[in-house]
Amino acid sequence: QVQLLESGGGLVQAGGSLRLSCAASGRTSSVFTMGWFRQAPGKEREFVGEIVWSGDSTYHADSVKGRFTISRDKAKNTVYLQMNSLKPEETAVYYCAAGRSRSQVRLGEVTFWGQGTQVTVSS
């Protein structure tokens, strides 16, 4: 099992920045990719960003390219999501996700989910 614990959410004004963190624990050696999703009230969960744990390959949703950056610190077993130029419509619960064995979390191949952290962007 892998446990994921998100932190860093909060309230920010439009145009502001936040950095989310996701600390992984447990059998992290089984993790292949990690990523972030978000779910706004009344909407489906959507992909935000993905990173390959053993390398540096990243993938970002078109809606956040140029504003959000996913990164990881292998020594700390932590993945980050730096979010800049936030918009009110990006208010959502942000979830950390992990997949095993050549999974691609951006395609929904998620084995583990975190509990989520609330991000609220005020206008």
Side-chain angles (χ1 to χ4, degrees), residues 22-25 28 34 53 73-79:
C22 173
S25 61
T28 56
M34 291 187 69
W53 189 248
D73 184 330
K74 292 184 70 176
K76 295 182 178 179
N77 281 341
T78 299
V79 172

Side-chain angles (χ1 to χ4, degrees), residues 11-93:
L11 175 64
V12 64
Q13 289 187 333
S17 299
L18 279 177
R19 189 177 80 156
L20 305 182
S21 300
C22 173
S25 61
R27 296 189 62 182
T28 56
S29 60
S30 67
V31 171
F32 184 75
T33 54
M34 291 187 69
W36 290 93
F37 289 74
R38 64 188 180 190
Q39 187 166 21
K43 295 187 177 182
E44 294 186 354
R45 192 171 297 188
E46 66 171 348
F47 167 76
V48 176
E50 172 190 283
I51 187 165
V52 176
W53 189 248
S54 61
D56 293 324
S57 297
T58 61
Y59 190 90
H60 297 83
D62 288 344
S63 60
V64 306
K65 281 181 181 176
R67 299 185 298 117
F68 290 15
T69 303
I70 188 170
S71 62
R72 58 105 175 88
D73 184 330
K74 292 184 70 176
K76 295 182 178 179
N77 281 341
T78 299
V79 172
Y80 303 99
L81 183 68
Q82 178 66 43
M83 306 185 293
N84 299 327
S85 302
L86 281 159
K87 305 174 183 179
E89 56 265 37
E90 294 179 313
T91 293
V93 177

Side-chain angles (χ1 to χ4, degrees), residues 2 4 31 33-35 96-100 103 105 109-113:
V2 174
L4 304 174
V31 171
T33 54
M34 291 187 69
C96 181
R100 299 184 295 192
S103 60
V105 297
E109 298 170 356
V110 176
T111 305
F112 306 105
W113 290 98

